[in-house]
Amino acid sequence: MTTKLPTVSQRQPTVQTFSRTEHWLKILAIILLVMGIFFRFSHLDAKFYWFDEVSTSVQVSGYGDSGSQKKLVTGQVISVADLQATQYPGPHTSVMGTVRGLASKEPQLTPLYFILARWWVQCFGNSVAVIRSLSAVFSVLAIPCLYWLCRELFRSPVAAWIAIALFAVSPLQLLYAQEARPSSFWILTLLLSSASLLRALRRQTVASWGFYAVTLVIGLYGHLFTLLVMAFHGVYVIIVQRLRLTRSLISYGVASAIAMLAFTPWIFGALIPYRQAMVGQSIRSPLPDMIKAWIRGVTLIFVDFSLNDSSPKLYFGLFLLLTIAILGGTGYCIYRVCRSVYRSTPRSTEWFIITAIAVPALLLVLSDFTTGASRSATARYMMPTYIGIVLAITYYFSRQFENPNLLQWQWQRQMHKMLILSLLSLGVLSCMAYSTSPLWWNKTDDALSQRYAQVINQASAPLLVSNAYFVQVVTLSYKLDAKVKALIVPESTLPKIPSGFSDIFFLSPNPETLEQLKPNFSVKMIESQLWKLTPK
């Protein structure tokens, strides 16, 4: 009995096959890149302008928290337009007002993104779409930085095109590309600094290390968690230099020291004097909830259909299968990277991916367990780790497509093509779902605010009263009709409610205030935080 041996074409791909592989990957990546850019700029104003974004506008305007309170929390009846008047830079505000407002209220938010956003809205207008478009621009600019990083890291155009395709249609990247927050800018800076580090290690010139130091300064003033990026860069350099005090390690230390020295004005001008403002901003979640968030975060890199408690159970079952498949595939790719550390020379590529994934994640988790916070359960803080995961998957697939000895059978090549195409298809479908949906999971208060607005807008002459934090009222104002009037008083203050309104609604009252109102009003809860007052 004889066994039929596979032909040469069946056993291993030819040079022409690799050329075709690079060609179709490049075409696919360009198509997905165009789609990704389209998704980033489409329907920018469709999603609810939520609480954190309103806080962004408060700081961008230059009025800051205290200035906005003086204008809005007056105990006087004001219009919806008045509520939003402190959302944009005024004639008597300045960049220094933006910086001072951040330093005193939210010192953990470094000022560069907010300064750029202030300039952006002054140049292009003050609409929701305009301020969100800045994040979309940053997300698009991150793509060539990712391409540069992959060329420095892998020395392979195939790897670079795979990474761009994954990044372009990643639902997690789209999420932050359409949000008026610093996350998208941070992604840009961490990719830029990582690519410049690899370039500096390769070229070993004063100019290249100086450019790396500049990217770190930009990153630190763009997002405080650039410290995590610096940490994984440091661990990576120490490992690849084999714990020896080499020229590269000294150069890295000097560049990092220059960056930290340049950052000292914010440390001593904001972080230390106003450190109490950061206390209690992150509440510890139970460990099972944190584990669930870690798993969900990895899945969100590739697929997101915004499932919630009201979604059909069938959808949950399908999503569970996808989650298991993605976690299994991601774990296998990371395993192959780790395995290659002991089998390949040089090992700098593998160590970069491993440190990018492990160091920021471990630092965040350790910080959470020592401080009682849960920042590692928040997807945007884990972005260096998620970028590392994308690089791990890029590493695995690029090696399969480029190395003829790894995929000796034609069916293996077809299977890997189907796997990468399936992963990219899930990303496209997720982006389409996000673009066409008015609500999404990351804005948990959207549905509730929508119900509030529907109830209030139905009244002929409604008055909205509140003694809660004024940003909550301003956030709701983006869904209110122009006929709605508002009255905001300081916390725990009993409002003096004027007559002449058909319906009076009270947003987020405390129990003491409700008790004080009961002698003159009948109170009825309409929603969990919205009450209706009827004069007796």
Side-chain angles (χ1 to χ4, degrees):
M1 181 178 178
T2 60
T3 303
K4 184 178 180 180
L5 296 175
T7 64
V8 173
S9 62
Q10 290 174 320
R11 284 184 304 200
Q12 63 181 32
T14 62
V15 175
Q16 290 80 4
T17 303
F18 287 124
S19 178
R20 289 197 299 271
T21 297
E22 181 180 340
H23 184 66
W24 74 260
L25 276 174
K26 182 176 181 179
I27 293 176
L28 177 63
I30 291 174
I31 293 172
L32 294 177
L33 176 59
V34 173
M35 294 178 66
I37 294 174
F38 171 78
F39 285 135
R40 281 160 171 77
F41 288 97
S42 64
H43 303 95
L44 277 171
D45 56 352
K47 300 290 188 300
F48 182 43
Y49 200 61
W50 72 303
F51 186 92
D52 281 10
E53 292 179 300
V54 171
S55 298
T56 294
S57 291
V58 168
Q59 302 300 346
V60 165
S61 70
Y63 290 102
D65 204 71
S66 58
S68 298
Q69 284 186 332
K70 289 179 181 178
K71 285 183 169 294
L72 302 179
V73 188
T74 61
Q76 303 295 319
V77 176
I78 56 178
S79 66
V80 169
D82 294 329
L83 283 171
Q84 298 174 10
T86 60
Q87 292 282 281
Y88 314 107
H92 304 295
T93 64
S94 64
V95 170
M96 286 308 300
T98 296
V99 175
R100 285 193 296 267
L102 283 168
S104 60
K105 181 64 179 178
E106 298 182 284
Q108 78 281 1
L109 297 177
T110 49
L112 184 54
Y113 163 79
F114 297 88
I115 294 172
L116 294 173
R118 179 184 173 88
W119 169 81
W120 188 262
V121 297
Q122 285 178 322
C123 290
F124 300 106
N126 55 15
S127 68
V128 170
V130 166
I131 191 169
R132 283 177 171 168
S133 67
L134 179 61
S135 295
V137 169
F138 288 143
S139 185
V140 172
L141 292 176
I143 295 173
C145 292
L146 177 63
Y147 183 85
W148 180 25
L149 172 60
C150 290
R151 292 306 301 263
E152 292 284 350
L153 186 62
F154 299 109
R155 303 289 178 182
S156 163
V158 170
W161 288 120
I162 291 174
I164 284 177
L166 290 169
F167 187 91
V169 295
S170 168
L172 191 64
Q173 297 301 326
L174 178 60
L175 195 70
Y176 295 122
Q178 292 200 331
E179 188 174 85
R181 296 296 284 173
S183 302
S184 186
F185 185 56
W186 183 37
I187 295 166
L188 167 63
T189 60
L190 78 87
L191 290 171
L192 180 63
S193 62
S194 297
S196 63
L197 171 65
L198 296 179
R199 176 176 178 268
L201 289 169
R202 175 173 56 84
R203 300 192 63 178
Q204 293 295 340
T205 62
V206 174
S208 61
W209 282 110
F211 182 75
Y212 172 64
V214 170
T215 64
L216 289 182
V217 174
I218 295 172
L220 287 169
Y221 277 100
H223 201 290
L224 185 61
F225 277 21
T226 298
L227 294 170
L228 296 176
V229 180
M230 293 177 65
F232 103 70
H233 285 178
V235 173
Y236 167 71
V237 174
I238 290 171
I239 290 175
V240 296
Q241 299 305 311
R242 301 182 180 181
L243 306 179
R244 294 177 299 176
L245 191 62
T246 61
R247 178 184 176 185
S248 295
L249 186 56
I250 294 173
S251 298
Y252 167 78
V254 171
S256 299
I258 292 173
M260 289 304 300
L261 183 64
F263 192 56
T264 52
W266 191 257
I267 295 174
F268 291 102
L271 290 173
I272 294 177
Y274 299 104
R275 58 186 178 274
Q276 289 300 321
M278 297 185 289
V279 175
Q281 290 197 2
S282 183
I283 302 173
R284 178 69 176 272
S285 299
L287 182 58
D289 290 344
M290 294 183 69
I291 294 174
K292 186 192 300 183
W294 297 337
I295 294 173
R296 181 182 176 89
V298 175
T299 307
L300 290 175
I301 304 172
F302 309 105
V303 59
D304 182 11
F305 296 117
S306 190
L307 299 184
N308 52 50
D309 294 338
S310 61
S311 301
K313 292 183 179 180
L314 176 61
Y315 292 177
F316 274 107
L318 294 175
F319 191 77
L320 178 61
L321 293 176
L322 286 175
T323 300
I324 294 172
I326 289 173
L327 289 177
T330 300
Y332 181 72
C333 291
I334 295 174
Y335 161 75
R336 291 295 295 267
V337 173
C338 295
R339 184 183 176 187
S340 296
V341 168
Y342 301 100
R343 294 192 172 192
S344 63
T345 302
R347 304 180 178 93
S348 57
T349 299
E350 291 82 359
W351 275 120
F352 186 90
I353 297 171
I354 292 169
T355 54
I357 295 172
V359 174
L362 287 174
L363 289 176
L364 277 178
V365 171
L366 290 174
S367 174
D368 287 346
F369 281 106
T370 54
T371 63
S374 57
R375 293 182 179 89
S376 62
T378 304
R380 62 181 179 272
Y381 297 147
M382 294 284 284
M383 197 54 67
T385 294
Y386 296 156
I387 294 295
I389 289 173
V390 171
L391 294 177
I393 292 175
T394 298
Y395 173 90
Y396 173 75
F397 279 102
S398 63
R399 281 174 60 85
Q400 306 310 307
F401 291 141
E402 289 181 321
N403 193 335
N405 297 319
L406 294 178
L407 297 179
Q408 296 184 356
W409 304 89
Q410 185 66 24
W411 68 267
Q412 292 176 305
R413 292 183 54 77
Q414 296 302 322
M415 181 188 72
H416 281 78
K417 285 183 181 180
M418 291 302 299
L419 286 174
I420 192 66
L421 288 174
S422 298
L423 202 58
L424 294 171
S425 298
L426 288 172
V428 172
L429 292 174
S430 299
C431 291
M432 292 174 62
Y434 176 82
S435 295
T436 56
S437 174
L439 302 174
W440 211 248
W441 64 267
N442 64 318
K443 298 174 177 59
T444 54
D445 294 333
D446 280 9
L448 192 59
S449 297
Q450 183 68 49
R451 294 200 298 270
Y452 292 167
Q454 288 174 350
V455 171
I456 297 171
N457 290 335
Q458 286 175 357
S460 58
L463 174 68
L464 177 62
V465 182
S466 182
N467 58 2
Y469 184 38
F470 76 95
V471 173
Q472 186 176 356
V473 185
V474 177
T475 302
L476 182 58
S477 73
Y478 282 91
K479 288 185 176 292
L480 297 177
D481 295 340
K483 65 182 178 181
V484 179
K485 303 298 180 182
L487 189 155
I488 311 176
V489 297
E491 185 180 2
S492 302
T493 300
L494 186 67
K496 296 180 180 179
I497 301 175
S499 58
F501 294 94
S502 63
D503 297 88
I504 301 169
F505 301 95
F506 207 126
L507 180 65
S508 300
N510 54 56
E512 294 79 9
T513 302
L514 285 178
E515 288 299 322
Q516 292 174 330
L517 289 169
K518 283 182 178 179
N520 299 317
F521 295 90
S522 298
V523 296
K524 179 183 179 182
M525 188 173 68
I526 306 299
E527 293 284 352
S528 59
Q529 301 270 339
L530 186 67
W531 295 72
K532 185 174 182 179
L533 308 181
T534 304
K536 290 184 177 178

